[in-house]
Structures are given as structure tokens and as C-alpha cells.
Amino acid sequence: MDLPPPQKRKRSASPPPLQPSAAPIDLSLLEALEKSQQNTIETLDLKTLKKLALSLERRLNANTAARLKYPDNPDKFADSELELHDELQKLKILAGAPELYPDLVSLGTVNSITGLLNHDNTDIAIDAVTLLQDLTDADVIEDNDESAQVLVEALIENNAVELLVQNLGRLSDSDPDESAAIYNTLSTIENLIEVKPSVSELVCEKTKLLKWLQARIKIREFDSNKQYASEILAILLQNSVANQKRFGQMNGVDTLLQAVAMYKSKDPKTGDEEEMVENLFDCLCCLLMPLENKEKFVKAEGVELMIIIMNQKKSCYGSAIRALDFAMTNYPPACERFIDVMGLKTAFPAFMVSILYKAMGFLCIVPLSKKNKKKHSKEELEERLISLIASLFGGILRGSRRERLLSKFVENECEKIDRLMELYMRYSNRVKAETERLNQLELDDLELIAVILGHLWTSEHPRMRARIELLLKQQKLTKKDVKDILQEYHDNIGDLDGPEEKERAQSKIVKFISALK
């Protein structure tokens, strides 16, 4: 089964809370300020934009001149930096008129804003980050795709990506303002990727963002920025083989294994921490797509760790199964290690259990979107276990390990064959009932079950064959029904892994079909 990388988008972590003000808030003043801002936004036009842009340039030039004239006397340029701060704050109203972004670019203002990311005064750099975060916010640019593209292209041309990451290096969580700026920087990078997906590879190729994120998730203590770092890393790895290989070469597999190992015998304390752990497992599954990273996973005893997590039956249970499935898909050494370290004793009880622990979930692979979060379910876990067992049969073709795998289907009066046929009937009935709006995942699961039945049948074990025939007869089915599913699976095998692998996989299915006479 060709498994796409996990593609899930978590809601963004909240920025660090601001300290409460000691003075009481005058609500009437706030209301008046809000009303004045709304009126300003309503009248924002090209003329107003030009005034704002010109004012920014004047303040920027004044600040630059003052710094050059009095490099060792901050008091001499402090006022100019306060004025520059005010101008950057004024530009935030542009988020209310994204249709003016092309004009902002043509005026050269984007170049000036980007340059301020590298300002010697960290507070000014933070102002620039906050402004860019506001201008690129998904809610702002949602219905202005063309304008957003123009803005993002200009930011890239002016090295905003590189400067944003450089700025991360001088920010610290010990300062509340800088901690909030870290969040806003990550948010801006995420927004850029949302508009222009190729930024995900660009930022890893030209900056040290991966290294920064790696260091961040190594920190044992949980905070909102560690959560957001795990989300950004998942986004960077999700569809990029180049990034997956690059992070793998940075010892990324071991980093992620150490990060999730913290939760092998304990559950996350909060919902935000739980999301972070799920993000980390998403990263791990993405990283396990390239063959060389599967090898690193096995050498780092990742198989053993996932089995330990499963045995602990904590909230990471399903995520561990998901990671094992990715590691074992088209990689026999992982399948062999799984059997050698008694993984069958862990996987098959889960396969047989009809009512699973409430916390035993995993995140289904779904497209990333800001509002798309799929909850865990017993059925999704069943689907992942089906895939894992199919991977075992595909990776263990002969020898004592194969015998140990097959023997699991004979023990306890062939109860696992009964369970397999139960699942086969469930998915078969759904496929028949929902032909017009067929869920492709359900068809994939039905095909995988048929493949497992093919493996069992070609073992030529008399008890297995007798049990399969009996159960088919009880459901008024024949071997031809299984052969038809296998034929469809055969016809749908792609050549993503190369023509030789496709031919090998199809040849195996042909043998199953021929054996089911």
C-alpha cells in the first residue's frame, strides 16, 4: 500500500500571554480608539498608502542618519527609533486592505520593512516581524490570492525568509516580548508557505531553520513555542522528500525518537501538549518515507520504542502503531526487527480487541488546513493495524519469521481469521452500499484485507484454508469475490517505487489470484 505522508494541520499555538496591566482599563477610551481605527480602515486608499509609505521612509532615513552620526550615543537616536516604531504600527492598518499589497510592493515599502528585520534594535526588528505577521495572516489574504502572491514574491526577493530565521537566533523566551516575537516569526513563515508552498523547501535550503527547530524540540520543558516549532517542522516535512532527507542527515530520526520517548509512560498534561506530541509523531512518520531514514529508525531502536509505547497503553498508543506502519512499509528489515522483538504479541491483541481504550487514538492522514483536525477513532486504528499486518506479510516472505507470523492465524481456533473476515465483510458491504460516494480509504482497506487473505491462502495451511472457505460460505461469498478485489488491487498498483517494484508487486498478486481456484 502506498502511504502518503501525514498531512495534518494543527491550530496554531497561542503566543505567550502578556503581563496584565497594573492600571484599570478605560473601556470608553478603547471603544473610541477602535471606532477611529475602523474609520481609518474604511477610508484607506492608494493616496493614504502613499502617505504612510513616504512617512515610513522619512523616519527610516532619519534613524539611519542618526545612528551613523552618533554610533556610540544611543540617546541621540532614541527619539528617531520611537518615531520609526510608531510608523510601523500605523502600517498595520494595511491588513484591512490586502488589495493594496501590489501598490505596497511597487512603492518599495516591502524592501524597507524587510530590511528592518535586521535592525540593530531588537524592538524595531520585532515590530517588523509583527507587521509582516499581520499582513500575511491567512484570514487577511484568504480572498485575495493574487495580491498575496505579489506580496510574498516581493518578500522572498528581498530575503525576508533568511532574515526572519536569522532574527530567531537573537530572540529569547526569557523576555515576554521576544517570546511573542518567536511565535510571530514562526507564524509568518507558516503564512508564507500557505501562500507559496515552495517556500517550505526554500527556507530549509537557504537558512538554518531546521537546525533551530531541532534544537527547540530537544528542550524537555513544554511551552507554546515548542508546540509551534513541532507544527512548523511537520509542515516542512510533509510533502518534501528533500526536507525529509535533509533532516534525516541531521540526526533528525534520533531527535524525534528522544522527543516522543518522554511520553512512553505518561500522557501529555494539557490539550496543547497533546497536540505537540501528535505533531512530533507526524514529523516522525513523514521522516520515515525515505528508505535511508527507515534504516536510521531501525538502528536507533525505534521499533523497540514504539512497542514499549504500545505496551504502556497511554495516549501515544495509536501514534506508535502509525509510526511502525510507516517504518515497515516496503522495508523488510523493520518487519524482521518487529517480529524479533516480540512485536506480534503486542500488535495482534490490539487487532483482536473490539473496544479499545479511549485514549488509544491516532490522527488520520488528512490534508493540512487551519480548521481540519480529525479526532481519533477505533475504526481508524483498525485500518492502521490492517496496513501494518499487510506490511508484515509483504516484508516477511520466508523462514522462521514467516512461520511465526502465519501461526498467529491458527492459534485459538483461527480467531484472527474470523476477525479478518469480519473486517472484510464490513468494508465490502460499505463499498457496495456507497458506490457513488466511495471513500477511497475504505476501498484501500478492503484491498489490503484481501491481500492478507491471499498470503494466508498461499501458505497452503489446511486449517487456514478450511476456515476461510467456511467463513466465505457463511457470508454467501466465494473465492471469486476475493479474487475480484485482488484484481482491482493489481490494476491500481502504481509505479511510484519504480517499474521493477510495480512488476514485482503485481506478480505477487497474480500468484494469489491463481491460487484462489
Side-chain angles (χ1 to χ4, degrees):
M1 176 180 180
D2 293 328
L3 295 174
Q7 298 181 13
K8 103 185 149 52
R9 170 68 173 273
K10 312 301 294 176
R11 63 176 177 79
S12 295
S14 302
L18 298 177
Q19 297 297 322
S21 172
I25 298 175
D26 189 332
L27 295 180
S28 61
L29 288 176
L30 287 178
E31 291 172 358
L33 177 60
E34 182 180 6
K35 185 175 180 181
S36 67
Q37 288 177 336
Q38 289 175 346
N39 291 336
T40 303
I41 292 174
E42 289 172 1
T43 59
L44 183 60
D45 53 19
L46 180 57
K47 183 178 179 181
T48 305
L49 171 60
K50 289 180 177 179
K51 289 181 179 179
L52 291 170
L54 180 59
S55 184
L56 174 68
E57 294 301 326
R58 286 173 175 169
R59 302 304 182 191
L60 176 56
N61 290 337
N63 176 244
T64 302
R67 276 185 164 270
L68 290 173
K69 188 174 182 179
Y70 307 104
D72 300 320
N73 192 349
D75 290 340
K76 293 291 185 178
F77 52 75
D79 289 343
S80 68
E81 290 185 359
L82 286 174
E83 292 171 348
L84 184 56
H85 163 81
D86 291 339
E87 293 303 324
L88 288 169
Q89 297 301 310
K90 291 177 184 177
L91 282 172
K92 288 185 177 182
I93 65 169
L94 288 174
E99 67 276 6
L100 292 176
Y101 286 177
D103 298 303
L104 185 71
V105 172
S106 63
L107 289 170
T109 311
V110 170
N111 183 32
S112 298
I113 297 171
T114 303
L116 290 173
L117 292 170
N118 201 31
H119 198 280
D120 288 336
N121 186 335
T122 303
D123 291 336
I124 296 297
I126 289 175
D127 287 336
V129 169
T130 306
L131 174 58
L132 290 179
Q133 196 276 337
D134 287 347
L135 296 180
T136 59
D137 186 86
D139 293 334
V140 172
I141 62 179
E142 185 175 6
D143 298 321
N144 293 271
D145 185 62
E146 291 185 9
S147 296
Q149 290 284 347
V150 172
L151 175 62
V152 171
E153 288 287 353
L155 289 171
I156 293 172
E157 290 175 6
N158 287 284
N159 302 316
V161 173
E162 293 90 331
L163 292 171
L164 282 166
V165 176
Q166 286 179 21
N167 206 34
L168 280 173
R170 60 174 179 163
L171 299 175
S172 170
D173 275 309
S174 60
D175 181 281
D177 291 336
E178 292 188 13
S179 183
I182 291 173
Y183 169 86
N184 288 333
T185 301
L186 296 177
S187 180
T188 303
I189 292 171
E190 180 182 13
N191 293 341
L192 296 178
I193 294 172
E194 189 83 8
V195 175
K196 193 176 179 62
S198 61
V199 171
S200 64
E201 289 196 358
L202 175 72
V203 71
C204 295
E205 179 183 335
K206 292 191 173 183
T207 76
K208 295 182 179 180
L209 180 60
L210 279 179
K211 185 177 181 180
W212 186 91
L213 294 171
Q214 183 178 31
R216 193 74 193 194
I217 62 177
K218 282 183 177 180
I219 299 173
R220 296 187 65 84
E221 295 77 16
F222 170 78
D223 60 40
S224 58
N225 281 336
K226 181 180 178 181
Q227 177 191 357
Y228 207 177
S230 69
E231 178 182 342
I232 296 298
L233 182 59
I235 292 172
L236 294 175
L237 296 176
Q238 62 177 340
N239 282 325
S240 172
V241 175
N243 287 349
Q244 292 162 7
K245 292 184 176 182
R246 186 178 285 113
F247 195 57
Q249 293 167 357
M250 296 168 57
N251 205 28
V253 172
D254 194 59
T255 297
L256 289 169
L257 288 176
Q258 291 182 36
V260 301
M262 293 173 55
Y263 299 90
K264 64 184 179 184
S265 57
K266 70 174 184 178
D267 290 331
K269 295 179 180 179
T270 66
D272 285 345
E273 189 172 5
E274 181 181 0
E275 285 192 3
M276 181 200 70
V277 176
E278 291 168 350
N279 286 334
L280 292 173
F281 272 102
D282 282 346
C283 293
L284 182 59
C285 290
C286 288
L287 210 56
L288 289 173
M289 297 300 287
L291 184 64
E292 57 265 38
N293 289 341
K294 294 177 188 283
E295 182 180 359
K296 291 182 174 68
F297 178 83
V298 173
K299 288 183 177 179
E301 299 185 353
V303 173
E304 289 88 334
L305 176 60
M306 296 305 113
I307 291 174
I308 290 172
I309 292 173
M310 290 174 64
N311 287 331
Q312 292 294 324
K313 294 182 172 61
K314 297 296 182 179
S315 63
C316 295
Y317 180 94
S319 296
I321 293 176
R322 182 163 60 109
L324 282 171
D325 185 28
F326 274 82
M328 292 159 57
T329 299
N330 297 326
Y331 192 62
C335 300
E336 294 169 359
R337 177 67 65 85
F338 182 82
I339 292 179
D340 290 345
V341 297
M342 313 302 287
L344 295 178
K345 288 187 175 181
T346 303
F348 277 102
F351 179 69
M352 293 301 298
V353 172
S354 57
I355 300 177
L356 299 171
Y357 295 90
K358 182 179 180 181
M360 289 182 186
F362 72 89
L363 285 174
C364 187
I365 298 171
V366 291
L368 277 175
S369 69
K370 289 198 171 184
K371 299 179 180 179
N372 200 347
K373 178 185 177 183
K374 191 162 185 177
K375 297 294 184 181
H376 307 314
S377 75
K378 165 182 172 286
E379 191 166 287
E380 291 163 355
L381 186 55
E382 288 174 346
E383 292 167 359
R384 185 59 63 185
L385 285 164
I386 291 168
S387 180
L388 187 149
I389 293 170
S391 294
L392 280 171
F393 272 109
I396 307 296
L397 301 178
R398 60 186 63 85
S400 61
R401 294 188 184 97
R402 179 78 173 188
E403 293 302 319
R404 289 168 64 183
L405 177 58
L406 288 169
S407 68
K408 286 293 178 181
F409 288 86
V410 181
E411 63 186 21
N412 297 330
E413 300 297 323
C414 299
E415 63 175 4
K416 295 174 184 65
I417 295 180
D418 295 352
R419 173 68 166 152
L420 196 63
M421 290 303 300
E422 172 197 333
L423 295 170
Y424 179 89
M425 289 307 304
R426 183 197 302 171
Y427 289 113
S428 179
N429 291 336
R430 285 183 186 171
V431 169
K432 292 176 183 177
E434 302 184 16
T435 303
E436 292 185 359
R437 56 186 185 91
L438 178 64
N439 183 333
Q440 186 61 42
L441 282 176
E442 292 177 355
L443 177 57
D444 289 345
D445 293 323
L446 177 60
E447 291 175 346
L448 281 182
I449 294 171
V451 169
I452 296 172
L453 289 172
H455 279 287
L456 296 176
W457 188 265
T458 54
S459 71
E460 299 185 357
H461 194 290
R463 286 186 61 191
M464 289 188 191
R465 285 192 168 188
R467 193 72 172 193
I468 292 172
E469 287 187 310
L470 174 63
L471 294 172
L472 287 172
K473 186 176 181 180
Q474 287 177 350
Q475 299 296 332
K476 297 181 180 180
L477 295 173
T478 66
K479 288 179 284 184
K480 182 180 182 302
D481 294 295
V482 180
K483 289 168 65 175
D484 289 343
I485 299 298
L486 287 171
Q487 185 62 55
E488 186 165 359
Y489 179 79
H490 170 279
D491 296 341
N492 290 332
I493 293 175
D495 58 359
L496 186 63
D497 297 319
E500 292 183 2
E501 178 61 26
K502 176 181 178 180
E503 184 178 351
R504 188 194 67 79
Q506 288 182 326
S507 176
K508 179 177 64 178
I509 301 303
V510 168
K511 290 180 181 179
F512 294 164
I513 295 172
S514 299
L516 286 162
K517 298 178 181 177

